[in-house]
């Protein structure tokens, strides 16, 4: 068993080294959707190989929730990769024609996830221009961004193409933001300016 695991880690490490040699994280363009996809794929390979160390690893209660897609741990700010949560002042439409506080609900859900998680690990390639780290964060092994998209509390980032199975299910079930048409955050931001 130990030998099989060691062979698996070695093979996965070799695969990672080959892929990583073609695209290092410092060469990835931050606004490039292919860069985000490559980062998430490299992250998956590294996790399989057991060769990745998280940017941060702490109990969930140690994190502050800034909004539906930004966490903080001390002075470190982390933006979840691959999602676009409702903006703070944005309201969403309900199936009955009312509006609801989707931004508040997304933030509250992230807070619930953090409060219940024994361990949150965030993996990142590099900081973005605003000083936040762009990262994928796992709460007790579950991808926080994937959970938000699956529950209809965030859109998958329009340029990155990640979380498609989760968004397809949320749309089909009419969950959260998918219960009635609501402009996604990138359109809402344009309308506000």
């Amino acid at each position: 068993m130990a030998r099989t695991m060691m062979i698996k880690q070695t093979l996965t490490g070799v695969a990672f080294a080959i892929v990583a040699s073609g695209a290092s994280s410092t060469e990835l363009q931050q606004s490039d959707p292919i860069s985000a996809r490559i980062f998430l794929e490299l992250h998956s390979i590294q996790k399989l190989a057991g060769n990745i160390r998280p940017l941060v690893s702490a109990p969930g209660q140690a994190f502050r929730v800034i909004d539906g897609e930004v966490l903080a741990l001390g002075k470190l700010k982390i933006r979840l990769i691959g999602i676009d949560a409702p903006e703070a002042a944005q309201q969403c439409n309900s199936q009955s024609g009312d509006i609801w506080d989707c931004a508040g609900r997304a933030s509250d859900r992230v807070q619930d996830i953090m409060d219940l998680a024994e361990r949150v690990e965030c993996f990142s390639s590099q900081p973005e221009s605003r000083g936040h780290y762009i990262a994928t964060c796992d709460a007790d092994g579950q991808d926080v961004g994937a959970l938000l998209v699956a529950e209809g509390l965030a859109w998958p980032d329009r340029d990155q193409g990640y979380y498609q199975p989760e968004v397809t299910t949320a749309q089909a079930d009419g969950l959260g933001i998918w219960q009635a048409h609501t402009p996604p955050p990138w359109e809402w931001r344009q309308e506000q300016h």
Side-chain angles (χ1 to χ4, degrees), residues 164-180:
Q164 290 308 306
E166 292 85 358
V167 75
T168 300
T169 301
Q171 286 174 323
D173 294 342
L175 299 177
I177 58 176
W178 303 111
Q179 55 185 299

Side-chain angles (χ1 to χ4, degrees), residues 63-73 76-78 88 107 110-111 132:
F63 288 84
R64 285 187 344 268
V65 175
I66 307 299
D67 62 29
E69 65 190 54
V70 179
L71 305 171
L73 184 63
L76 180 70
K77 289 190 179 175
I78 300 164
S107 294
V110 175
Q111 188 67 61
H132 297 159

Side-chain angles (χ1 to χ4, degrees), residues 79 82-84 155-164 186:
R79 187 171 66 80
I83 70 167
D84 204 345
W155 286 263
D157 190 292
R158 65 182 172 157
D159 296 326
Q160 295 171 357
Y162 244 72
Y163 304 126
Q164 290 308 306
W186 53 89

Side-chain angles (χ1 to χ4, degrees), residues 4 9 11 27 31 37 39 43 55 63 84 100 124 169 176:
T4 303
Q9 284 184 338
L11 290 174
E27 296 171 339
S31 62
R37 183 171 284 141
F39 167 72
H43 170 253
L55 170 69
F63 288 84
D84 204 345
W100 59 285
S124 180
T169 301

Side-chain angles (χ1 to χ4, degrees), residues 36-47 52-57 63 69 71 77-83 114 120-126 133-139 141-147 160 162-163:
R37 183 171 284 141
I38 290 170
F39 167 72
L40 288 169
E41 292 299 328
L42 290 174
H43 170 253
S44 297
I45 293 168
Q46 287 176 318
K47 278 176 66 175
I52 189 170
R53 291 181 43 206
L55 170 69
V56 295
S57 179
F63 288 84
E69 65 190 54
L71 305 171
K77 289 190 179 175
I78 300 164
R79 187 171 66 80
L80 297 174
I81 194 169
I83 70 167
M114 295 297 115
V120 174
E121 294 183 323
C122 297
F123 303 87
S124 180
S125 62
Q126 64 185 32
Y133 277 84
I134 302 172
T136 178
C137 293
D138 296 341
Q142 292 190 303
D143 182 342
V144 176
L147 288 171
Q160 295 171 357
Y162 244 72
Y163 304 126

